Amino acid sequence: MIEPVTKRRTDGLSKEVIVRAAAAILDDGGEAALTFRALTARLSTGYGAIYHHVANKSDLLAAATDAVIARVMRDAVVGAEPRQALRTVSLGLFDAIDAHPWVGAQLSREPWRPALLEVYERIGGLLVALDVPAEALFDAAGALVNYVLGVAGQNAANARLLTSDEADREAFLGAVAARWAALDPDEYPFVHQAATQLREHDDREQFLAGVDIFLAGIATLR
Amino acid sequence: MIEPVTKRRTDGLSKEVIVRAAAAILDDGGEAALTFRALTARLSTGYGAIYHHVANKSDLLAAATDAVIARVMRDAVVGAEPRQALRTVSLGLFDAIDAHPWVGAQLSREPWRPALLEVYERIGGLLVALDVPAEALFDAAGALVNYVLGVAGQNAANARLLTSDEADREAFLGAVAARWAALDPDEYPFVHQAATQLREHDDREQFLAGVDIFLAGIATLR
DNA sequence: ACCTGAACACCGTTCAAGT
DNA sequence: ACCTGAACACCGTTCAAGT
């Protein structure tokens, strides 16, 4: 068998391969599972090999997060109607962060990441299409992006807390709702009354309701 | 000098003392500085003594966070006009999280904490005063609380990243703005154009602008 | 009941040595 | 240029032993 002239190992390490492995570990076992020991085991390599392609753990997490966000932005097919497109993009981010809770934590730890560029550009562009006046554009885009990432991050924290078991989720929400319901209605009128809705609410729908409130507020700026 | 009958050491450990020391360490050196070793040194005690009052590190962080939020809610004197009161409460939370960035990270890690009860109650009550219809109340309160905590958390992440030096902050924002300005205006029209505003914007004002957009959106629900 | 601190089972990161 | 893996300087947490 004849060796190729440039004998490059097809299974050689690269930042991309490492980042993909890291993302798989994060999806499997959450943030605590991503250790350099787990990574070297999965890639059958040594620590130095990884550090040769990646500056440190923080760099690794950032790169994995960028990859997820970039994929969402690439896949988010956006229709013509800007209002609906804003809902689609927002929901795409929400779902991606729900599926990869570590992304939510990372984004709130390091905003201004390159991946967020695409998000700002897309959302800002759609706000322009909505005729938001120029002087309000920056604040409106900032607020909406922050709302989307903020809520998605909070939701991801819950997802992380509750594993992926639906029964767990109901039990947890039920327990919190019971605590809320047990509060003195004179001292906590709102929370006491909101207990039922807490038990029954759908995070995704509540998220979208928030986006709609936002868009309604932005519409008053026109 | 006569010993009191129950000779309780006034300098004895208690959860409150431990939590206060932890908060001081967190304020001084950030989240990475809070270790059980630093805590035992500061309190001149052993690990076991701390574990006797506190379940683990996560419990400690949660308790310290609850204390900060409870203080904000206690101190937030709220005027009669609900719209203004909502802005005051929101700003109080923003400022507290800005002053104690670790609170922002912790809140997005563990929502549904007891401290947030007070926040939901206050904000929910003010929305009732704003005549938000009952069926929209839960979603509106959830969205607003999430917005406030989300943005404050993002802002805190920046604060953590940038230390407390104002020159650092300007240099950092300047660098990001320069990167944004350098982008191809055809490919990134919005971000390219927003670079100037990014350099000049005030986080606190942008936060309040977002709250106002929100309240304007909520007003359309009436 | 409350406290002490050695010990355990982990971390991220470095670096001399290999190919 | 790229990889190996022992070693270092840390962690959070436990627990037998003390008062």
Side-chain angles (χ1 to χ4, degrees):
Chain A
M1 193 208 188
I2 298 161
E3 285 282 337
V5 182
T6 47
K7 54 169 182 166
R8 204 146 130 238
R9 285 169 57 190
T10 40
D11 59 325
L13 269 186
S14 69
K15 183 153 182 176
E16 203 201 322
V17 169
I18 294 172
V19 167
R20 219 196 323 265
I25 293 175
L26 287 162
D27 283 341
D28 272 12
E31 241 159 316
L34 181 62
T35 68
F36 276 80
R37 277 154 185 86
L39 207 51
T40 52
R42 192 182 189 105
L43 294 168
S44 342
T45 183
Y47 305 116
I50 292 172
Y51 276 99
H52 193 266
H53 295 275
V54 147
N56 49 40
K57 188 174 180 175
S58 164
D59 179 32
L60 184 57
L61 259 168
T65 301
D66 283 353
V68 169
I69 298 296
R71 207 182 317 133
V72 176
M73 287 297 110
R74 185 166 27 75
D75 294 352
V77 183
V78 166
E81 212 277 291
R83 224 184 106 83
Q84 191 51 43
L86 278 167
R87 297 174 104 242
T88 306
V89 171
S90 302
L91 209 51
L93 286 166
F94 182 88
D95 287 339
I97 295 176
D98 190 52
H100 312 283
W102 48 275
V103 169
Q106 177 60 19
L107 282 177
S108 65
R109 217 177 290 131
E110 290 192 18
W112 309 122
R113 283 251 95 211
L116 286 185
L117 256 181
E118 311 291 333
V119 176
Y120 273 106
E121 184 59 40
R122 189 70 67 91
I123 285 185
L126 288 168
L127 289 175
V128 171
L130 266 185
D131 291 329
V132 173
E135 69 275 13
L137 209 51
F138 183 74
D139 285 349
L144 187 49
V145 171
N146 270 312
Y147 170 76
V148 170
L149 298 182
V151 179
Q154 305 274 31
N155 184 64
N158 286 336
R160 227 156 34 208
L161 214 65
L162 268 43
T163 77
S164 52
D165 191 343
E166 185 58 28
D168 275 13
R169 189 195 127 83
E170 283 195 21
F172 177 76
L173 276 185
V176 177
R179 261 201 320 271
W180 283 25
L183 290 167
D184 182 353
D186 288 333
E187 209 175 342
Y188 293 95
F190 174 76
V191 173
H192 175 82
Q193 185 261 24
T196 337
Q197 276 157 297
L198 175 64
R199 195 186 286 105
E200 292 163 1
H201 89 288
D202 180 310
D203 283 330
R204 214 158 167 270
E205 274 172 31
Q206 199 188 15
F207 169 74
L208 266 187
V211 172
D212 285 339
I213 290 176
F214 227 93
L215 293 178
I218 285 173
T220 68
L221 298 172
R222 204 161 9 178
Chain B
M1 196 211 184
I2 298 162
E3 286 280 340
V5 183
T6 47
K7 53 167 182 168
R8 206 147 126 236
R9 286 170 57 191
T10 40
D11 58 328
L13 270 185
S14 68
K15 181 153 182 176
E16 203 201 323
V17 170
I18 294 172
V19 166
R20 220 195 323 266
I25 292 175
L26 287 162
D27 283 341
D28 273 12
E31 241 160 317
L34 180 62
T35 67
F36 276 81
R37 276 154 185 87
L39 207 50
T40 53
R42 191 181 190 107
L43 294 169
S44 340
T45 183
Y47 306 115
I50 292 171
Y51 277 99
H52 193 265
H53 295 276
V54 147
N56 49 41
K57 189 173 179 177
S58 164
D59 179 32
L60 184 57
L61 260 169
T65 301
D66 284 353
V68 170
I69 297 296
R71 206 183 317 131
V72 177
M73 286 297 111
R74 185 168 23 76
D75 294 352
V77 183
V78 166
E81 212 277 290
R83 226 185 104 83
Q84 192 51 45
L86 277 167
R87 297 174 104 243
T88 307
V89 171
S90 302
L91 209 51
L93 285 166
F94 182 89
D95 287 339
I97 294 175
D98 189 53
H100 312 284
W102 47 275
V103 170
Q106 177 61 20
L107 282 178
S108 65
R109 217 177 291 128
E110 291 193 17
W112 311 122
R113 282 251 96 212
L116 286 186
L117 256 182
E118 311 292 332
V119 176
Y120 273 105
E121 183 59 41
R122 190 71 66 90
I123 286 186
L126 288 167
L127 289 175
V128 171
L130 266 184
D131 291 329
V132 173
E135 68 276 12
L137 209 51
F138 183 73
D139 285 349
L144 187 49
V145 170
N146 270 312
Y147 170 76
V148 170
L149 298 182
V151 179
Q154 306 274 32
N155 184 65
N158 286 337
R160 226 157 34 206
L161 214 64
L162 268 43
T163 76
S164 52
D165 191 344
E166 186 58 28
D168 275 11
R169 189 195 127 83
E170 282 194 22
F172 176 77
L173 275 185
V176 177
R179 259 199 325 266
W180 283 24
L183 289 168
D184 182 352
D186 288 333
E187 209 175 342
Y188 293 95
F190 174 77
V191 172
H192 175 81
Q193 185 260 28
T196 338
Q197 278 158 297
L198 175 64
R199 195 186 285 101
E200 293 164 0
H201 90 289
D202 180 308
D203 283 330
R204 215 159 166 268
E205 273 172 33
Q206 200 189 15
F207 168 73
L208 265 187
V211 172
D212 285 339
I213 290 175
F214 227 92
L215 293 179
I218 285 174
T220 68
L221 298 173
R222 204 162 8 181

